[in-house]
Amino acid sequence: MRQPRRLLERRTSPSGPAKRAHGLWGRITRWLQKVGHDAVDAASARRTAMMAAAADQRGTRKRSIPTIAVGLAGLGAMFGAVSQNALAVNFTTSADTFAVYSNYLQGTSVAAYLAENGTEDGTTGVAEFGIGQAAFAGLCAIATQDLPAGTAMSLVITAGEPVHDSFSGTSVPDGVTLDEDGALAGDSLEGAIQASNLFLNSDALGGYGNQIGGLNLGQSAESVYGSARVDWPTGQTQPTPGAFGLSAERLNLAGLHAATYGVSFGGEITLPRLKLQVFLGEKTQADCPGAAS
């Protein structure tokens, strides 16, 4: 799947369109300032020094480093707290898209509906997903920012077991252990990333559907959250009555790949083997195993 790069403004964002260089990092940094300035400042200083050294070696313009470094440092502090169950996550962005990959997503109590997403050029369609309980066999998220010097920088977040460098789309990836109902089992369940009240929006999501149960397609959008017992996050525009929706008791996707404009974990989340790394250049799914090792 191609790395998504389109600039978008999320429909429910109160802040309006954001410039590409400040979208993801700016929102995260502002949010973290409410949680604790000290942690962000300390991490920012370390990241700024590392970024400046990389810029000297590669001729990158130093003026691009502070904004991105602060954002990356803030994101690192946030996910560090999350990995200790200290915070819920609202990993949303008003301007940038990012890619999410997992060897296997096991979801129960799932709801989704079609909605509009505002862009600088008008609007585009997205699917808003809500999952009551989710378990991931590995997770790899990649966000890429353009630098003023004409190069790119990628933030790669990995957790759980390493994500494969590619998916067939027709089978469960090797190494994923399942029970007879298609649920994670054995080592895959023990090392899984567990989350409750997971929400994301996406215009491109795919995988191999494995033993999906209780699927209802074409349900009126305003009723899906009741069927799946999912409450949409506070402040999110509610589904339009009569619009397309779906609900499912069980939604298993092997080889999950998605382009998303925002992910929100409203409940608790565990992130075993969490790693956050910054690379020069544009990274793709092929880089996920190396980033996790």
Side-chain angles (χ1 to χ4, degrees), residues 68-185:
I68 297 175
V70 170
L72 294 177
L75 189 59
M78 179 183 73
F79 270 86
V82 169
S83 66
Q84 301 174 36
N85 287 326
L87 298 172
V89 184
N90 184 13
F91 188 25
T92 59
T93 164
S94 63
D96 300 328
T97 61
F98 57 97
V100 176
Y101 306 96
S102 179
N103 296 327
Y104 200 85
L105 165 62
Q106 172 188 313
T108 57
S109 298
V110 180
Y113 63 92
L114 294 181
E116 288 186 346
N117 220 51
T119 74
E120 294 181 348
D121 299 323
T123 59
T124 187
V126 297
E128 300 275 0
F129 288 87
I131 304 176
Q133 295 291 329
F136 295 90
L139 183 67
C140 179
I142 302 175
T144 300
Q145 292 281 159
D146 290 330
L147 299 178
T151 59
M153 179 176 291
S154 295
L155 168 69
V156 181
I157 300 170
T158 59
E161 65 184 49
V163 171
H164 291 211
D165 59 8
S166 63
F167 299 131
S168 69
T170 59
S171 63
V172 177
D174 293 341
V176 177
T177 304
L178 305 174
D179 65 16
E180 61 183 9
D181 295 321
L184 293 172

Side-chain angles (χ1 to χ4, degrees), residues 183-198:
L184 293 172
D187 291 341
S188 293
L189 177 60
E190 183 177 347
I193 298 161
Q194 302 281 352
S196 60
N197 297 323
L198 165 66

